[in-house]
Amino acid sequence: MSKRRKGTGEQGAELGQPGGSSTGWGGGTASLKCCADDNTRSQREHNQPTATWSRLTGGASPRGGTGGGREKAGTRGRAAACHDRRELGRGAGGGGGREGGGAAASGQSVTRRLRSAGLAVARGTHGKVLRRGREGAAAVAAAHGGPQMETVNDDFMDSFTPPLLSDSLQMAMEVENEKSNPPCFSCIFDNQNGGRSFSGESYLASGSLKRVLLRLDPSPNDYEEDAIEMFGFQWVTETALVESCGLLFGLLRQQIYKLEDLIEMNSSDFGQAANLHSEAENIRRLCINFLHYVKVFIFRYLEPPKTENDGVLHPYEELEAQFPSLLVEELHSLTLHIGHLCELPSNVLAAFTIQHQAKIFPPSWHLLHLHLDIHWLVLEILHVLSEKMMRQVVYANHFINLTGENLTNISLFETHCENLISDLISLSIQKYTKVRPSEALTSHHYPCNCIKELWILLIQLLGFRNKGSQTECFWSLVNKKLKSIFERPTSSESVSVFGTTQCKDPLSFSLWIVTHLASLYQFDRNGNLEEKKESNWKFVEELLKNSIGAQTGVLEEHLRMHLQCCLTLCRFWDWNLSVITILWDYYSKNLNSCFTVPWLGLKGLASISKTSLSMLELVKSCCCEQQIPTLYKSSNSYLIFLSILARMMKEEAESSGVHPWKQIKGRIYSKFHRKRMQELTEVGLQNFFNLFLLLAIVAETEDIVSRVLDLLDFLTPSLVSPSQRALIWRGHFAFLLIYVEKNMDISVLAEKLSNAFRVKAKEFLVTKNDYTQKQNLWTLISTYIDGVQEVFETSCYLSLSEEKLLNDGFTMLLPACRGAELSMVLNFLQVVIARLRSVHKRVSQGLQPGNADSNAQLPLVAKEHHLAVASALWRNFFPYLKSQRMSQTPPSPQLADTAAGFALLALDIPSKALSDLQPQPVLSMMQLFGWDDMVWPHLVSRYLSHLIQNSALCEAFSTMGYTSYEALTVRSWFRCVLQMFIDQPSGTLAKTDAERTVGKAYMEQLTEMTRLIFKLKEVESILSKARVEEPVLKQDPKNALVQFIKAVGRTYSGLQTLPEKSAMVLKALEYLGDVLKYVKPYLKAKGPPEGLQLAYWIIGCLVKFWAPILATSKAQQLLFRIIDCLLLPHSVLQQDKELPGALLSAIQESLHLYLQGLSFICCQSQARGAYLNQLLGSIVQQYFGRFLPPSPTALGAGQHPMLTALCSSITVPQALRLRKTTLHVINEHYMQFKGSAPPPRLASVLAFILEVLQRTQASELCDVELVLPAVLKCMVLVNELQVKKISTVIVQYMVQGCQARSGGEHATQLTSVFRQFIQDYTAVYDHRVFSILETVAVLDQTLVTSLIPTLTQSLKDSEYKQGLGRNAAQREAYKRLLTHLSEAGQNEIQKLENEAG
């Protein structure tokens, strides 16, 4: 609610205005503005005269109406109103609607303020005040000493009130009564900014610019009071600027000085800095408020120019008429006072670098931003003034009279615009000096976001004025200033334009800033993004001409930046044919250039594409619409030119619907002719292909490819280097890839390429000794292979005649390939097969009835092409593959992979397999590569690993009724494990790293194969029946095979019925196959040691764990072959010939397995038991002595295989058979004396026997029968202490063993042996015999007692034979023995003495 007004004099005294008396109207005298109601404000906003006005003024229209001219009544009323305003202390007021932009500019000012108390004041045509109620009107008139005013009757007021108090008007009143701070430049962003590009206080975001351009009230909510405070003083709102213009602008300059003084007081103290920030911010706000007031004053209160003068003007009107001219002078003075932006002190300009997130800023920051505000508000004020003056020229009369130079509002606007743009460009130059060419587009041209906003404001304002032909367009001014940079300063004036800033590279800078300025056209009047195009191509064309001109010689590093700027401009502007022409003229002359930047290192070097796909991808990157941040480093200027070409062509085709190719076509084609094509180097050819590949992508593909082929025909074949030829082939394939991506048939181009490949493949085959020629040919061939692979990988349905690329050139190529070359071809073949199978499966599924997939609509022609591709693969590749399966050297892994691919291809497309594989090509492939014993195990293991778990393959064999599929696969696994060392040298030399690597790789392959084998149904069944635990699957192949052998043996032993056992025997033999054939390579080469050990060990496990199976009649032949080949070969039977160490070592480690298995078979076999026993004895005889050490000390635990066999946990019959056979052989061949000479290594033999007795902890009957006589003989005949000692222990073990059995057959046999021993040796070795028996008596007195009759008789027989009567010494020795035999011995002594007596 406004307070009621006081009298004029009273108000003036209270306000204390300077420059005159309290009631005077002198310069600077403050006076109060009368209250204006909100309806008047709304009236000014909408500029619509209403019926109410007619009733108030007696039919006269308000000032100005809508026509802009003054009516006579209004003019006369204006002069009278001046007196009323002076007397009432009220402002004269502006004219026209607030948002009418000058349209309602003439007539008397009307102000009215609606209040809730119902007070309404209005001014009539002649300046009279109308109040609600006659008393109020009279009171007002009396108080001011004025004439009595006309009043409005009650009827009128009743009819007048309702429209003024409508709901919409009340809402407008509430909104407009909310005051806000005037907009200003601010780079302070907070969390409430809402993601906008500019601060909410900015000229853009606040809508200030939009209101100015739309001729709306600049500040509709401000300056509504009668008085306004500016620079600490109160001023009449409607008259202050007219009456005190110079004073107010002087006060403005004082505030600027004051802010400049604060900079010197800057402090690092936080409290002081906060105070300085607050004071500087207040000063800046005062200055900004004043300039906004100037803008509002012009809009609201300034009278438009008079079209006629019909009398003497009122003094105020004289001032008002002179005000525009004075304002222009003051604005000019203000611009001179603040000077150029770039001329500000460095400490002020440094405020640009202050972080925007700060809350407290130094005075320099406020001064810098105040300068920006002043520069911009001067332009706004001049623009509003021009609009208010109906675009009539306002002359600065006083300035003209003093200087003689013309100064108008228009010239001042233009000059200030030019100076401001110059300043901004100068700031950008300073910024550009720190910008690298590679960072040009990521580095902004403005040091502060406020500068960015100022640029946008200039773009919008100049664009708006240019539409009305008031000023030059923005680009014209910018271009003019940029052109001046190229000119060296020749006068002080030219130097002052850009200060002391020097631009070292004006060309690059101009393109840089134009590019960044073009991006600012995306912002609209509110600072929001919008699509808007206003190009400046003409100027850019001139820059480009300078850039690529021969005289300037711009470096590649700058040229990249220039073209990168052009590429960016293509996003903002429409396409321009001239730019393409200018650039193409340059690059067509420099196609052989590498376009490198030395300081970029390897990244800057020109690179020739290694594959057709990389070539195409490079060109596609030029067609990418997304901005690439690393474009400067990743692409040379030529590629950026291609990007420009692609973008312009695509955008023009999309926008206009007419492809621009026809306009460019002639310009490009005309640059290529025979001479030019022959001048192209390899780099030139690369650039040539890059250009036409891009054109083929964005324009008419077939026409362009046809033209390329014609141009390439200009090349002389003999002059084309191999690297150039390879590049040409890559280019051809790149075009093929474009055909494929566009789903176009490739047959013509494919045939041309494949024919050239056939020729080179033949040359490669016949070239033998020329290494260089072969390398050159391989370069071409590898290019072709890579290209074909990329075509197959890219083609979606393989329905574009891809089979044309797989011609018979490969049949000549494959036999000539070696090593890495062959690996490359086979890898390529695998990719093609896999791709064909995948696509064929997808197409077949799409063609199935009822399939709703999108592929269901594919034409059957795709399937026909698949058959053609499959046929080409079988015809041109498989014969070589088949021939390599039995090569002399281990084949490469890729051979197995490829063979597996062909097997699966035969499964998917069986009809196209070769005739010799029909009618069941899958079975034939398995027989060739998976089950053939002649194929390298490396190939078999890898081949089968691909196929074992293939469900479709298993189903196919089931459908055929081929039940041996799994058994044959297991057989192959057997062979692969047994032959894992077949490729290693047989010598004992250390393996090389390469050999270790190969062995490790094969072991990994075997491990994988083992894992898959154990998942076969048959194998799983056997393992489950044998209760084999899961961890066996994780074992190495050798141990896994042993576990499987054990599982088969246990499974067989668990069978009950004869048919089951018979079937199991057949299945087991099927698993084995010709197992001896698998190990023959080891036996033949007598190595390597690892292979021999593996072979003997695995087959030994077979003999031991499959003994029940081998005991059957169906398997005995295999057993006999095993014994003949492994244990009793011809070389073993030759006693005079030493066996190889590796072979002997292998037999030693595994012989116990054979012995145990054979002993079991000997017990089981009925028909051939005698023969088997003989074989077992022969084996023991041959190997007992070979592994017997020369002395007992070398006989360690477990070293002798027979000791291991005898002491292992085996069945009793099996153990007895083996023990008896072994001891029999020992007795017969190793303990027989030659006369009195003992056998060799007797101590070792005895030590062996002792070891057996000790380990078994028992004495068998065979021990007594076969060993004890020989041991007793050794005790008698051998004097060697070691022999005697061991023999004594043996006798001890045997006697104790028989004693433990408590009589029976063992005791009888023991007694018999000793009786025979006494009879044989007492006559000659009586003392030794009696000594031995003394030892035995200690162990078993009963045994020796039973021998007394024999001893006595032997004594008598000996004496009789001697014929010398009683032998006293002999009898004495005998009596010593008898003394150990207790009573029986004493009795026998007594008998002997009685006989003597």
Side-chain angles (χ1 to χ4, degrees), residues 142-155:
H144 295 282
Q148 290 290 328
M149 298 189 224
E150 299 175 4
T151 60
V152 184
N153 57 33
D154 294 338
D155 295 337

Side-chain angles (χ1 to χ4, degrees), residues 1158-1201:
L1158 277 173
S1159 61
F1160 179 86
I1161 296 172
C1162 289
C1163 297
Q1164 296 292 321
S1165 179
Q1166 299 290 336
R1168 299 193 177 185
Y1171 180 65
L1172 290 171
N1173 286 327
Q1174 181 183 348
L1175 288 178
L1176 181 59
S1178 298
I1179 294 171
V1180 173
Q1181 178 185 345
Q1182 291 298 328
Y1183 292 105
F1184 179 80
R1186 293 182 190 273
F1187 302 129
L1188 189 68
S1191 63
T1193 56
L1195 185 65
Q1199 284 191 354
H1200 201 292

Side-chain angles (χ1 to χ4, degrees), residues 1139-1293:
L1139 292 177
L1143 179 62
L1144 204 58
S1145 175
I1147 296 174
Q1148 182 176 4
E1149 287 189 8
S1150 58
L1151 182 60
H1152 66 282
L1153 299 173
Y1154 294 90
L1155 295 175
Q1156 291 171 350
L1158 277 173
S1159 61
F1160 179 86
I1161 296 172
C1162 289
C1163 297
Q1164 296 292 321
S1165 179
Q1166 299 290 336
R1168 299 193 177 185
Y1171 180 65
L1172 290 171
N1173 286 327
Q1174 181 183 348
L1175 288 178
L1176 181 59
S1178 298
I1179 294 171
V1180 173
Q1181 178 185 345
Q1182 291 298 328
Y1183 292 105
F1184 179 80
R1186 293 182 190 273
F1187 302 129
L1188 189 68
S1191 63
T1193 56
L1195 185 65
Q1199 284 191 354
H1200 201 292
M1202 293 181 187
L1203 186 62
T1204 306
L1206 289 167
C1207 301
S1208 299
S1209 57
I1210 53 179
T1211 63
V1212 175
Q1214 184 179 357
L1216 286 175
R1217 178 60 60 96
L1218 180 59
R1219 189 164 184 160
K1220 185 176 182 180
T1221 303
T1222 304
L1223 294 179
H1224 176 76
V1225 170
I1226 292 174
N1227 183 46
E1228 291 292 331
H1229 298 281
Y1230 295 95
M1231 298 189 71
Q1232 298 299 319
F1233 284 73
K1234 293 183 179 180
S1236 60
R1241 295 180 294 176
L1242 179 59
S1244 297
V1245 174
L1246 293 173
F1248 174 85
I1249 296 171
L1250 176 60
E1251 189 75 19
V1252 172
L1253 294 173
Q1254 289 176 340
R1255 290 196 181 189
T1256 56
Q1257 295 294 322
S1259 178
E1260 300 296 338
L1261 186 61
C1262 61
D1263 300 344
V1264 178
E1265 293 177 352
L1266 300 174
V1267 175
L1268 184 56
V1271 173
L1272 292 173
K1273 185 176 181 180
C1274 293
M1275 293 177 71
V1276 172
L1277 299 180
V1278 180
N1279 295 322
E1280 186 180 346
L1281 182 61
Q1282 191 177 27
V1283 172
K1284 284 183 173 295
K1285 183 179 180 180
I1286 296 174
S1287 300
T1288 302
V1289 178
I1290 293 173
V1291 171
Q1292 178 182 348
Y1293 267 98

Side-chain angles (χ1 to χ4, degrees), residues 1038-1057:
K1038 174 185 172 182
N1039 291 334
L1041 181 55
V1042 172
Q1043 293 296 330
F1044 177 73
I1045 292 171
K1046 291 180 180 180
V1048 173
R1050 283 198 289 266
T1051 302
Y1052 178 83
S1053 300
L1055 299 177
Q1056 301 298 326
T1057 64

Side-chain angles (χ1 to χ4, degrees), residues 797 842 846-847 851-859:
Y797 297 113
R842 181 155 44 91
L847 293 175
N851 195 331
D853 190 79
S854 59
N855 291 338
Q857 305 301 321
L858 284 175

Side-chain angles (χ1 to χ4, degrees), residues 1371-1388:
R1371 285 179 177 262
E1372 190 62 30
Y1374 180 47
K1375 286 179 182 180
R1376 283 197 301 272
L1377 170 63
L1378 292 174
T1379 57
H1380 295 284
L1381 301 179
S1382 65
E1383 185 178 355
Q1386 293 299 325
N1387 294 334
E1388 188 64 29

Side-chain angles (χ1 to χ4, degrees), residues 1315-1333:
R1315 183 176 292 113
Q1316 186 64 42
F1317 168 68
I1318 293 169
Q1319 293 173 354
D1320 292 340
Y1321 298 105
T1322 301
V1324 180
Y1325 305 102
D1326 52 346
H1327 289 78
R1328 293 187 181 184
V1329 171
F1330 295 147
S1331 176
I1332 293 170
L1333 291 175

Side-chain angles (χ1 to χ4, degrees), residues 489-552:
T490 56
S491 64
S492 59
E493 181 181 356
S494 61
V495 174
S496 65
V497 172
F498 295 103
T500 59
T501 305
Q502 297 294 327
C503 185
K504 296 181 179 179
D505 186 5
L507 180 61
S508 299
F509 168 76
S510 299
L511 276 167
W512 176 71
I513 193 170
V514 165
T515 303
H516 283 286
L517 291 178
S519 67
L520 299 183
Y521 270 87
Q522 298 178 97
F523 295 94
D524 62 7
R525 298 171 178 178
N526 295 321
N528 300 321
L529 293 175
E530 68 170 0
E531 290 190 7
K532 183 180 179 182
K533 295 184 178 182
E534 186 170 337
S535 70
N536 190 24
W537 278 125
K538 288 296 182 184
F539 182 66
V540 173
E541 289 173 22
E542 296 178 10
L543 294 177
L544 288 177
K545 289 178 182 178
N546 292 331
S547 174
I548 62 179
Q551 297 178 353
T552 57

